[in-house]
Amino acid sequence: MTITTGAPPPTHNTPVALARGFLTGGVVGASLAALVVGGIIESVPLFVTGLVLPAVYGLLFFLAGVPRRAREAALVPCTALARVESVEAVGGEATSDVAVRFDLTVAPDDVPAYRVAFTQDINLADLPDYRPGGVVVVQYPPDRPWRVRIVKRPTPQWEERAAGAQLDSAPGPAMVSETPEGCAVGFVTLLALLLAAAGVVLLFRADLFDEDASGLPPSSVQPSVSSSSSSSSSTTVVSSASGTVALGPNQSFLDKDALRRAVRTLTKGTDTRAALTVVVQERLLSIVYAPTGSNAPTFDPESLPYDRFPALVEEARSSLGIGSPQTWQVTVERLTGTLTIRVGVTGSDGAASLEADGDGTVVRRTPAH
C-alpha cells in the first residue's frame, strides 16, 4: 500500500496564548517585585504576597485546565500507520528504558501524510524493532496530530496492516508541531512582567524613598566612591535590608571577577548577613537580606559559585533558541529549601531559562517556545 503525501497543516498564534503570556508575565513581575520591595522595606505581608501569588496563580491555572483535560481524555485517539524516517537515542541509557527521538511520516487513511518529530521512552530490548524505513502503528488525538505516540502492542488487525504496508516519505523539512507562541507572546509576557514590577515599585515608592532618603542611620547607607574614569564608575548602596551595586558604562558583571568583587564590596567591614535573594543583571547586582528574626530559608551570598555565572549565562543565551537581541537575569534563592540558580533570558524568539544547583551544575533547561 502506497500513501500519497501532502503538506502539514499550518500553525498560528492564538489570543488565548497571548492572554496566558500576559497573565504569566504579570504574576512573575509582581511576585519578584513584591519579594524585593518587601525585603527592602521589611514588610512581611508584602514579602509573603510575593511567595503566595505564584502558588495561587499555578493552582488557578491548573483548575482552569481541568475541563479541557477532561474533554481531551474523552476523545477517541486516531490510529494510523507511520514510516520511521530516523531514530536517535537522546537519554536514559543507564536504565532499561531509553528516551528516543523519532522522525516519522504519519499516513492517516483520510488526510494527507505529514512529518512529525517527538520523543518517546522505548525499552532497550525493543529498539531493533524501530529501524529507519520500517512501518509502525501510531495513535494521536484527532485535534492535536503532533502528539503522536507509537503503539507498542497494536491489535492483530493493525499489526497485519503494518507488516504489509509500504509508505512514502512526506516532504520535509517541515514537521508538524504544537502551535508556536512566537515573538508576540514573548513580547507580551515581557511587557506584562515589566508593567507589574513597575506597578509594585510605584505603589510602595513612598516607603522606598523615605527609607533611602533619611530613615536609616548614617552607618546603614554607604554610597560608594566612583573611580576617576567615568566609563568605569560604579555606585554601591548598602542598607540593613539590601545591598545594590550599579556598574557604569562599558562594564558588565560577566567580566572576570567583577561579580565577586561587587559582593565583597557589599559585605566589606560588616558581619556576613544571610540573604534571601541575589539578582544579577548586566550592570546591576541586588542582594536582599533576611529581616531580623525571619525564619525564611537563607544562604550566604559569599558562598555562591560566581565563577560559573558567565558560563551559565552564555549557555542560556546560545543554546535555548531565544534569538536576538537578548537580555538576561540571574536569580539565586532557596525558598523551596534547595539553593537554585535560575538564569532567565529573553530574545526575539521568546523567553527561556535554565536552572543550576548550588555548585553551578545545570539541572534543568526550558527552551524558548
Side-chain angles (χ1 to χ4, degrees):
M1 177 178 65
T2 301
I3 306 296
T4 303
T5 61
T11 58
H12 56 277
N13 285 306
T14 64
V16 174
L18 294 174
R20 184 171 62 245
F22 186 85
L23 287 174
T24 301
V27 170
V28 172
S31 61
L32 288 177
L35 287 172
V36 175
V37 174
I40 293 175
I41 66 176
E42 300 184 2
S43 172
V44 175
L46 182 59
F47 189 85
V48 172
T49 299
L51 296 176
V52 173
L53 185 60
V56 173
Y57 175 72
L59 178 61
L60 293 177
F61 188 83
F62 173 81
L63 294 177
V66 169
R68 175 183 57 81
R69 290 191 293 272
R71 290 194 302 269
E72 293 175 355
L75 292 175
V76 178
C78 296
T79 305
L81 298 179
R83 171 188 169 92
V84 179
E85 303 293 347
S86 66
V87 178
E88 179 186 3
V90 294
E93 292 85 350
T95 64
S96 59
D97 289 342
V98 57
V100 179
R101 183 168 179 81
F102 290 95
D103 179 358
L104 303 183
T105 290
V106 180
D109 293 334
D110 52 351
V111 297
Y114 59 92
R115 290 281 285 273
V116 62
F118 63 96
T119 300
Q120 183 172 341
D121 290 339
I122 301 295
N123 191 280
L124 286 171
D126 297 332
L127 277 179
D129 297 336
Y130 304 103
R131 295 188 178 91
V135 177
V136 295
V137 180
V138 299
Q139 287 186 337
Y140 57 87
D143 57 339
R144 298 183 305 282
W146 56 87
R147 293 191 177 180
V148 172
R149 309 303 293 173
I150 294 176
V151 181
K152 299 179 181 179
R153 294 179 178 81
T155 62
Q157 178 185 0
W158 279 102
E159 189 173 5
E160 182 179 353
R161 288 187 60 182
Q166 294 181 351
L167 306 181
D168 294 334
S169 297
M175 296 183 183
V176 175
S177 61
E178 193 166 4
T179 305
E181 294 183 348
C183 299
V185 175
F187 175 78
V188 168
T189 302
L190 179 61
L191 178 63
L193 187 152
L194 296 175
L195 289 176
V200 173
V201 172
L202 289 176
L203 186 63
F204 294 91
R205 64 187 184 276
D207 296 329
L208 288 170
F209 294 157
D210 288 345
E211 182 168 329
D212 289 341
S214 58
L216 295 173
S219 59
S220 298
V221 179
Q222 304 171 359
S224 70
V225 178
S226 300
S227 63
S228 59
S229 173
S230 61
S231 63
S232 60
S233 62
S234 63
T235 302
T236 302
V237 177
V238 181
S239 73
S240 61
S242 66
T244 302
V245 177
L247 297 180
N250 303 322
Q251 296 184 87
S252 171
F253 279 118
L254 297 182
D255 296 336
K256 184 177 180 180
D257 294 331
L259 191 52
R260 191 174 296 278
R261 288 197 303 267
V263 173
R264 289 172 179 170
T265 300
L266 294 178
T267 58
K268 182 178 180 181
T270 63
D271 295 334
T272 300
R273 288 175 287 177
L276 292 172
T277 59
V278 172
V279 179
V280 185
Q281 297 175 344
E282 187 74 36
R283 293 195 297 272
L284 182 65
L285 163 67
S286 298
I287 300 178
V288 178
Y289 298 110
T292 303
S294 172
N295 293 324
T298 60
F299 58 93
D300 180 2
E302 295 189 21
S303 66
L304 300 179
Y306 294 111
D307 295 338
R308 286 281 299 147
F309 281 26
L312 293 174
V313 172
E314 180 59 28
E315 180 176 348
R317 296 169 66 179
S318 61
S319 65
L320 300 181
I322 61 170
S324 60
Q326 301 173 344
T327 59
W328 61 269
Q329 176 174 297
V330 179
T331 304
V332 185
E333 48 84 12
R334 60 178 300 249
L335 300 177
T336 59
T338 303
L339 186 68
T340 301
I341 302 172
R342 184 176 296 104
V343 182
V345 288
T346 302
S348 59
D349 294 335
S353 65
L354 64 78
E355 293 183 8
D357 58 19
D359 296 326
T361 302
V362 178
V363 297
R364 185 179 295 106
R365 296 175 177 83
T366 305
H369 54 82

